[in-house]
Amino acid sequence: DLFSSKWFTELIEQKKIQRSTIISKSNDYFIIEHEFYPFHVMPHEMCDYQLYRSALLTLEIAIKSFENNLVIKDASAWNVFFIKSNPMFCDITSFENWDENQNWFAYGQFFRHYIIPLILSKELDVDTSKLFIINRDGIKPEDASKLLGLKRYKSLISLEGIVLPLIFDKKKIKVKKYSLDVSKKIFAQTLNRLKKYIIKLEPIKKKTTWVDYETNRDHYSEQDMKDKYTFIKEVSYNNSKNVIDLGCNEGEYSKIFEAVGSNVVSTDFDNGCLNQICKNEKKKNLTVFKLDLSNPSPSIGWVNKEHEAFMKRMTKKFDLVLCLGLIHHLQITERIPLINIIQMLENLTSKYLIIEFISNKDQKFIELAGLNIKLYENYTQEYFENALEKKFTFKNLILAIFQWVCLSLL
């Protein structure tokens, strides 16, 4: 019985496999209830480092299963969600008895879902989250070959996962069957070789637009930053259960709320920043989402109902929404009207909003606006506050070169 086996229950206790309970069973079927997680991160919402850790967990479970004469018949990235800061395997129906006449059945799928996307990330700086929106079953070797060009010959990893499958398919080469002892040895070697491949593909720190921004903010004075940090720290003591930090960068303010026990959802579109959070922070209550607020993850899958859109899943889920140094980017870069941004923020929060106003006289505001700066000549603090007051009530306001305001819903 899988559910009562020691190795399986240990993985559940370690929160590496989703906890499930058999509600009823008959000769034909089981009815199983799974533990529910409100803020689960799916592959099309993961940064590269989350996909990397998802791959390692998949192999850990595959190896542990094989040691107990079982296999996982699927190696889909969709079988692993991030729950808070850690990956969790969520497809308990994937386990089955090992067939000694086969190597790992999910071998090709593991390449498509994990190894090939991570190769594309490493060699071409491809954003892996975007791949899964339009390629639900991962990236095929032939597609990766076209993208990589001569780089497909660069490593043994890409030779095995991209070049050789194309040769085998073209020449119709069949895989030989082996005796039980040899087959078991080959199976174990395959899993361990794939693990070595994944470790070599660990995402490295890349210089993106916003990586290291926290140490390079010359347009903020030291006193500005001190006041802002103090203000956020004071608000964190209000015991907000669920907090979302929109445009979190490397999680500077997310960590303040996580430290006092809040469940924090940290979102940003910058893959490099999120990779740094996931690599350096093993926080219990911090959940990272790769999210472009101007184009958030949509409903996808069969008839668009397998996985709900981010905004639909998150409606009214948060006691507090942090929106710091963000809305001028949405207004200027994405041309989203302020009234629509405020409506989006209202949809997310059930209680409070902390929002930062950046003046049209600010250096960064002017740089972003460029030749269009005249379009924002009426973008004053009064205009900003009047727009907010249609949805929120002011609770606390800090006036400085930069303004931070805490509001509650009307």
Side-chain angles (χ1 to χ4, degrees), residues 354-370:
I354 295 181
I355 191 167
E356 181 174 4
F357 169 71
I358 305 295
S359 167
N360 57 5
K361 302 295 191 293
D362 172 66
Q363 172 192 337
K364 289 294 183 182
F365 192 107
I366 295 170
E367 288 177 7
L368 282 173

Side-chain angles (χ1 to χ4, degrees), residues 66-174:
F66 187 58
E67 290 172 354
N68 290 274
N69 295 313
L70 294 171
V71 294
I72 52 172
K73 59 186 178 182
D74 303 303
S76 169
W78 298 96
N79 287 349
V80 180
F81 295 158
F82 257 75
I83 309 299
K84 298 184 178 179
S85 295
N86 294 297
M88 180 179 290
F89 189 82
C90 298
D91 184 16
I92 61 169
T93 61
S94 182
F95 295 93
E96 65 179 13
N97 292 323
W98 173 54
D99 181 351
E100 63 189 52
N101 294 313
Q102 287 186 333
N103 204 332
W104 193 25
F105 182 78
Y107 169 86
Q109 189 179 47
F110 187 83
F111 266 93
R112 295 194 304 275
H113 285 238
Y114 289 115
I115 292 181
I116 293 178
L118 288 171
I119 289 174
L120 293 177
S121 172
K122 182 177 182 179
E123 298 296 340
L124 303 178
D125 201 22
V126 170
D127 185 340
T128 58
S129 66
K130 293 179 180 178
L131 296 175
F132 285 98
I133 292 179
I134 57 175
N135 300 279
R136 184 167 175 78
D137 193 32
I139 308 301
K140 296 178 181 178
E142 54 266 37
D143 294 330
S145 179
K146 294 173 185 176
L147 291 170
L148 287 165
L150 293 177
K151 287 185 177 181
R152 64 182 178 272
Y153 301 109
K154 190 174 178 179
S155 69
L156 289 175
I157 305 174
S158 54
L159 284 173
E160 179 177 336
I162 299 171
V163 178
L164 288 180
L166 297 180
I167 294 174
F168 288 172
D169 185 62
K170 186 176 181 180
K171 295 183 177 295
K172 306 299 180 183
I173 297 174
K174 294 183 178 181

Side-chain angles (χ1 to χ4, degrees), residues 40 42-44 78 81 136 298-302 304-310 313:
H40 60 283
M42 294 176 279
H44 66 306
W78 298 96
F81 295 158
R136 184 167 175 78
S299 296
I300 60 174
W302 175 247
N304 296 133
K305 290 186 177 180
E306 285 188 71
H307 304 294
E308 283 187 332
F310 178 88
R313 285 151 52 206

Side-chain angles (χ1 to χ4, degrees), residues 265-282:
V265 170
S266 303
T267 78
D268 207 290
F269 74 92
D270 191 299
N271 199 56
C273 289
L274 299 182
N275 283 345
Q276 290 302 106
I277 296 176
C278 293
K279 184 173 184 178
N280 298 327
E281 300 293 330
K282 299 296 186 291

Side-chain angles (χ1 to χ4, degrees), residues 22-26 29-32:
I22 298 176
I23 302 301
S24 65
K25 57 183 177 179
S26 68
Y29 61 85
F30 289 78
I31 297 178
I32 299 174

